[in-house]
Amino acid sequence: MRARRGLREEAVLTDSLKHGRTLSSKELGRIICSIKKSSNFWRIVELSRQPLPVVAEVLSSLIDKGYLRVDDGRVLFSKDLSGLDLQDTVDFDESRCRGCNGRGLDMDRYSDLLKRFREIAKARPSALREFDQGFVSEETTIARVALMHRWADIKGKEIVLIGDDDLLSIGLWLTGMPERIVVLEIDERLTSFIRDVTGGTVEVRGYDVRRPLPEDLVGAFDVFFTDPTESLEGFKVFALRGMLSLRGDGAGYFGLTRVEASLNKWYEIQGFLHQCGFVITDIIDEFNHYQDWDYYQDTRAYSIAPVKIEPIPYWYKSSQIRIERVIERDLDNSEVTGLIYFDEESSTV
Amino acid sequence: MRARRGLREEAVLTDSLKHGRTLSSKELGRIICSIKKSSNFWRIVELSRQPLPVVAEVLSSLIDKGYLRVDDGRVLFSKDLSGLDLQDTVDFDESRCRGCNGRGLDMDRYSDLLKRFREIAKARPSALREFDQGFVSEETTIARVALMHRWADIKGKEIVLIGDDDLLSIGLWLTGMPERIVVLEIDERLTSFIRDVTGGTVEVRGYDVRRPLPEDLVGAFDVFFTDPTESLEGFKVFALRGMLSLRGDGAGYFGLTRVEASLNKWYEIQGFLHQCGFVITDIIDEFNHYQDWDYYQDTRAYSIAPVKIEPIPYWYKSSQIRIERVIERDLDNSEVTGLIYFDEESSTV
C-alpha cells in the first residue's frame, strides 16, 4: 500500500498468490525479516504472523525467482534483496520475558499444580487428526488456570469446556475450586480418561459440536473455555455453543492463531462476537504453545511447505482471548451439517 | 443475574447506585473480594476492575449499612458478610510475573534505553489537570517501545503521537529507528521540552484534538499512538484522529482503563473500532502504570472517595490495546466543540 517503496517488485513477488489477495509491503516485509532471523521454515511461519499457506507461497515464489535457496532443509538467501528495497524498513524483536514465556503470569505459585498435572498427563491419549486435535503444552494448560483465576473465573464457578484434548478440566479439578466442571467432548478416549482420573467429579458428556447445545446446558454456566477449529464457520459454531452455555454476564475463553487465521478473519470474528453482545477483555499474544502433531506428515501444512522437515517444538502458537457478555442477544442453537474444519487459510487439518 | 445466590441482599446493597445500573453478583463479588485483599481504597478500586464511582458508591453503601467501617484511613469489615452469601463464591489471584510486571516483555535488553530515558525525563514538565494529563512510569514508556518493536512498528516507520505527556516520542527517538516522528500536542511546555531534547529531530506541532487533523497529516503515517481521555465521545475523537493519520494497513495503539470505563463502554468502543474497519490484535491487561497526579485532591475521584487518603503509587493502570486497519472506511474529520473529557464514569479529571 506504500507506493514509494518497491511496490512494483512486491507485485512481481506476490501476484501469483492464490487467494486473490495482494500482500502489503508490511506483510511481505515481515516475512522477509523472518527469513533473516531464522532459516527454519516452521520458525519463519511463526515469526511471520501470517497464514501458513501465504508464507509458503511467498517462499516458493522467492525460491522460484532465485532470491532464496533451500540447502539441507534450511531456507537461505541466494542474493541481496536490496532491489526489493524492503530490508531496511522492517525489523522487529519479539523480546518475550523469559520468566513467564511472555504470558505475564507468575507461575511459581502454580508449580505444584503443574507437577501434579504433568504426572497425570503422562498417560493422556495422543492427538487425533480426525477431530482436528493438537494439544497445548502442560505449562500452557496450567497458565490457562492461572489466567482464569486472575479473572475470578474458577472459585465457586460452573465451568463448561467444549472439547478438552488439552485436559484443562483436570487442571481446574486439581485446584478444588470450581463448583462444577462439565466437559463436552466427541473423543471417547478423552472422556474415559478424564472420567477415570477425576473419579467422576468432572462431568463428561459425549458431544459433537455440530449438534445443538443440549437444553439443560443452555444458560447453565459462568464460564466456558474452548479451543475452536479456525475455519470461520467452524469457529462460529464453537463460539456460539459456548456463548449459549453462559448465564448473564458470563465469560468465555478461546484461542486464535495467526497461522490459520488472517487478520481479515480476526476482524470477521470480532464483528461476530460484538453482534452476539460480547466484549473482549484480553488478547494475549502467543499464550498457547502447541505440541507437535504425530500426524504432521499428513497435514496440508507439510504438503505445501517448500521445505520438508520435521516441525520444531512450539512453532504453532495462539493468542488467548477472553470475552464477557454485556448485552443479551438471541443466539442460534441450530444443527450444523457438513465439514466445518477447513477453509483456505487452514493448514493443520 | 444469579437468582440462586443472595440476589435480594445484593439488590439492597446496590439499589442506591446512581447510574441506573444494577451490579451483578459477579461485579459485587469482585468488589467484596478486593476489600478482603486490601484495606486501601485506591488498591480496592484497582483490584475491583470497575469504574471508581461504582466502587465508591458500593463502599459508601456498605459503610452506611454497617458492613464496613473506616479506621485510620483503612477500610475494614465490621461484621460477617455470610448473609450476603458471596464470600465463598468469588476469589481471584492476580499472580503477575515479577520479572516483567505482567507485560510479558523482556526488558533486560532495553535497560540502557530506560536509563537514558530516565535521565532525560527528570526535567519533564509536571502533569496538568487542564489537559487531563497524568503520565505513565518511565518503565511503561519504554515497555511501549518494546511492544511496538515486537510488532515491527518502529524500524523505518513514520509514527505520529497524538498527545505525548508520556514522552514516548523521546523513547522512540532514542532507538534511532523511526523514519519520522511527529508529536501533536496542545501543551506548549511539552512541545518545547521535546523539541529541545531531540534537537528538532522529532517534529512537534501545537494541536487541539478537537480540531480536524491537518490535511498534510491525513494518511501520512504507518503507526499512531495515543492515550485518550476515556469519556466515550472523547475517546472516539482521539481514536478518529489517529485512524485518519494512517495509510493503508497501518497500526494504532491506545490505553483503556477499567477505572474510568465500564465493560459496557469497552463494548461500545470495540463496536466503533470495528465499524471504522480496524481489528484488535492485542489487549494487554494493566500494561500502563500511571504516576500519581499532583492535582489528585482536586479530582472527582478524591471527592467521592469514602476515605480521604493519598493515592498509592500506580493504583491507576490501563490495558494496552493495539489495532490494525483491515478495511478502508470513510472516517469523520470534522471539528468537535464543547467539553469532551467527562462522562459519568470519569473520575480523574
Side-chain angles (χ1 to χ4, degrees):
Chain A
M1 302 198 189
R2 301 180 61 173
R4 67 196 177 82
R5 284 195 185 141
L7 191 60
R8 197 183 48 77
E9 294 86 348
E10 289 155 32
V12 173
L13 280 174
T14 62
D15 57 6
S16 60
L17 284 183
K18 288 180 194 124
H19 310 313
R21 60 195 293 272
T22 310
L23 283 194
S24 69
S25 61
K26 179 170 163 172
E27 293 168 311
L28 183 59
R30 183 141 189 141
I31 294 175
I32 289 174
C33 189
S34 300
I35 305 169
K36 286 187 187 162
K37 291 184 190 298
S38 175
S39 59
N40 181 287
F41 171 70
W42 304 100
R43 176 88 178 129
I44 292 167
V45 172
E46 178 192 346
L47 290 170
S48 295
R49 307 302 183 87
Q50 283 163 78
L52 184 141
V54 172
V55 180
E57 272 196 74
V58 169
L59 259 61
S60 296
S61 169
L62 286 167
I63 292 167
D64 285 352
K65 292 181 202 315
Y67 288 106
L68 297 179
R69 64 195 160 90
V70 177
D71 186 356
D72 196 21
R74 290 177 308 153
V75 179
L76 302 170
F77 286 102
S78 298
K79 59 180 180 187
D80 186 7
L81 294 196
S82 57
L84 295 175
D85 200 17
L86 277 164
Q87 75 276 31
D88 291 329
T89 65
V90 178
D91 193 17
F92 61 87
D93 182 347
E94 301 237 309
S95 53
R96 239 156 257 293
C97 173
R98 282 159 294 190
C100 63
N101 252 325
R103 298 189 186 94
L105 296 162
D106 175 11
M107 297 304 292
D108 284 355
R109 63 184 86 183
Y110 290 91
S111 59
D112 275 354
L113 188 65
L114 178 56
K115 212 163 128 190
R116 291 165 67 201
F117 181 71
R118 279 209 168 111
E119 203 50 48
I120 293 171
K122 277 181 185 163
R124 71 196 303 169
S126 61
L128 280 190
R129 186 181 178 212
E130 179 185 357
F131 304 122
D132 188 20
Q133 290 173 347
F135 48 77
V136 297
S137 67
E138 279 91 21
E139 185 198 67
T140 299
T141 296
I142 301 306
R144 289 173 175 177
V145 172
L147 178 65
M148 292 171 76
H149 195 35
R150 175 195 287 178
W151 285 117
D153 285 333
I154 300 182
K155 172 78 169 177
K157 300 300 176 193
E158 304 191 51
I159 304 169
V160 64
L161 311 180
I162 302 169
D164 191 27
D165 55 333
D166 299 323
L167 305 180
L168 177 59
S169 61
I170 293 176
L172 292 167
W173 167 75
L174 285 170
T175 69
M177 291 193 291
E179 181 161 314
R180 184 187 186 197
I181 308 172
V182 176
V183 171
L184 307 178
E185 173 57 60
I186 196 169
D187 181 354
E188 286 179 13
R189 301 170 313 146
L190 284 167
T191 51
S192 307
F193 183 76
I194 294 167
R195 196 180 285 122
D196 288 352
V197 166
T198 66
T201 315
V202 170
E203 299 168 51
V204 182
R205 294 204 199 177
Y207 175 63
D208 183 333
V209 75
R210 290 171 293 191
R211 295 205 325 263
L213 190 73
E215 269 311 309
D216 66 310
L217 302 181
V218 173
F221 297 91
D222 303 294
V223 179
F224 78 82
F225 199 111
T226 189
D227 202 8
T229 193
E230 296 197 356
S231 68
L232 185 56
E233 287 317 304
F235 174 88
K236 284 183 180 176
V237 173
F238 275 85
L240 269 174
R241 306 305 182 208
M243 297 190 280
L244 279 157
S245 76
L246 297 181
R247 59 168 70 91
D249 57 353
Y253 293 79
F254 59 88
L256 194 59
T257 72
R258 301 287 285 267
V259 178
E260 305 202 75
S262 64
L263 286 186
N264 289 70
K265 197 192 280 181
W266 278 52
Y267 178 75
E268 294 300 319
I269 285 172
Q270 290 179 6
F272 174 72
L273 296 171
H274 192 264
Q275 255 175 16
C276 294
F278 282 76
V279 65
I280 306 170
T281 63
D282 298 74
I283 303 181
I284 309 174
D285 188 51
E286 299 203 329
F287 188 98
N288 297 302
H289 299 192
Y290 292 76
Q291 319 251 17
D292 291 328
W293 300 269
D294 294 337
Y295 58 82
Y296 76 86
Q297 288 182 320
D298 303 322
T299 62
R300 178 173 180 228
Y302 190 76
S303 79
I304 63 178
V307 192
K308 306 297 178 201
I309 52 167
E310 192 177 345
I312 55 167
Y314 305 127
W315 71 277
Y316 189 93
K317 297 191 172 85
S318 71
S319 292
Q320 182 60 53
I321 301 183
R322 179 179 180 276
I323 58 177
E324 206 166 318
R325 181 185 275 135
V326 291
I327 296 180
E328 292 273 0
R329 290 273 161 79
D330 281 337
L331 301 173
D332 182 21
N333 195 21
S334 51
E335 180 155 354
V336 175
T337 53
L339 196 67
I340 59 170
Y341 294 116
F342 200 78
D343 66 18
E344 81 283 355
E345 294 174 356
S346 308
S347 65
T348 62
V349 174
Chain B
M1 300 198 189
R2 301 179 61 172
R4 67 197 177 79
R5 283 194 185 141
L7 191 61
R8 196 183 50 78
E9 294 86 348
E10 289 155 32
V12 172
L13 280 173
T14 61
D15 56 6
S16 60
L17 285 182
K18 288 182 195 124
H19 310 313
R21 60 194 294 271
T22 311
L23 283 193
S24 69
S25 60
K26 179 170 164 175
E27 293 169 310
L28 183 58
R30 184 142 188 139
I31 294 175
I32 290 175
C33 190
S34 300
I35 306 169
K36 287 186 186 164
K37 291 184 190 299
S38 175
S39 60
N40 181 286
F41 171 70
W42 304 100
R43 177 87 178 129
I44 293 167
V45 172
E46 177 192 348
L47 290 170
S48 295
R49 304 305 182 87
Q50 283 162 77
L52 184 140
V54 172
V55 180
E57 272 196 74
V58 169
L59 260 58
S60 296
S61 169
L62 286 167
I63 292 167
D64 285 351
K65 292 183 201 315
Y67 288 106
L68 297 178
R69 65 195 160 92
V70 177
D71 186 357
D72 196 22
R74 290 177 309 152
V75 179
L76 302 170
F77 286 102
S78 298
K79 59 180 180 187
D80 186 9
L81 294 195
S82 58
L84 295 175
D85 200 18
L86 278 164
Q87 74 276 30
D88 291 330
T89 65
V90 178
D91 194 18
F92 61 87
D93 182 348
E94 302 237 308
S95 53
R96 241 155 255 293
C97 173
R98 281 159 295 189
C100 62
N101 253 327
R103 297 189 186 94
L105 297 161
D106 176 10
M107 297 306 293
D108 283 355
R109 64 184 84 184
Y110 290 91
S111 57
D112 275 354
L113 188 66
L114 178 56
K115 212 163 127 188
R116 291 164 67 201
F117 181 71
R118 279 211 169 109
E119 204 50 48
I120 293 171
K122 277 180 186 164
R124 72 197 300 169
S126 60
L128 281 190
R129 186 179 178 213
E130 178 185 357
F131 304 121
D132 188 21
Q133 290 173 347
F135 48 76
V136 297
S137 67
E138 279 92 19
E139 185 198 68
T140 299
T141 296
I142 301 306
R144 288 174 175 176
V145 172
L147 178 66
M148 293 171 75
H149 194 36
R150 174 195 288 179
W151 285 118
D153 285 332
I154 300 182
K155 171 79 171 176
K157 300 300 175 193
E158 303 191 52
I159 304 169
V160 64
L161 312 182
I162 303 169
D164 192 26
D165 55 333
D166 299 322
L167 305 180
L168 177 59
S169 60
I170 294 175
L172 291 167
W173 167 75
L174 285 170
T175 69
M177 291 193 291
E179 181 161 315
R180 183 186 186 198
I181 308 171
V182 176
V183 171
L184 307 178
E185 173 57 60
I186 196 170
D187 181 353
E188 286 178 13
R189 302 171 312 147
L190 284 167
T191 52
S192 309
F193 183 75
I194 295 167
R195 196 180 284 122
D196 289 351
V197 166
T198 66
T201 315
V202 170
E203 299 169 49
V204 182
R205 294 206 199 175
Y207 175 63
D208 182 333
V209 75
R210 289 171 293 191
R211 293 203 327 261
L213 191 72
E215 269 312 309
D216 66 311
L217 303 181
V218 173
F221 297 92
D222 303 294
V223 179
F224 78 82
F225 199 111
T226 188
D227 202 8
T229 191
E230 295 198 357
S231 68
L232 185 56
E233 286 318 304
F235 174 88
K236 285 183 180 175
V237 173
F238 275 85
L240 270 173
R241 305 306 182 208
M243 297 190 280
L244 279 157
S245 76
L246 297 180
R247 60 168 69 91
D249 58 352
Y253 293 80
F254 60 87
L256 194 59
T257 72
R258 301 287 284 268
V259 179
E260 305 202 75
S262 65
L263 285 185
N264 289 69
K265 196 192 280 181
W266 278 52
Y267 178 75
E268 294 300 319
I269 285 171
Q270 290 178 6
F272 173 73
L273 297 171
H274 193 264
Q275 255 176 16
C276 294
F278 282 76
V279 65
I280 306 170
T281 64
D282 299 73
I283 303 181
I284 309 174
D285 188 49
E286 299 203 330
F287 188 99
N288 297 302
H289 299 191
Y290 293 76
Q291 318 251 16
D292 290 328
W293 301 269
D294 295 337
Y295 59 82
Y296 76 87
Q297 288 182 318
D298 303 323
T299 62
R300 178 172 180 231
Y302 190 75
S303 79
I304 62 178
V307 192
K308 305 298 177 201
I309 53 167
E310 192 178 344
I312 55 168
Y314 305 128
W315 71 278
Y316 189 94
K317 297 190 171 86
S318 72
S319 291
Q320 183 60 52
I321 301 182
R322 179 180 180 276
I323 59 176
E324 206 166 318
R325 182 185 274 136
V326 292
I327 296 179
E328 292 272 2
R329 290 274 160 77
D330 281 337
L331 300 173
D332 182 22
N333 195 20
S334 52
E335 180 155 355
V336 175
T337 52
L339 196 66
I340 60 169
Y341 293 116
F342 199 79
D343 67 16
E344 81 285 356
E345 294 174 355
S346 309
S347 65
T348 62
V349 175

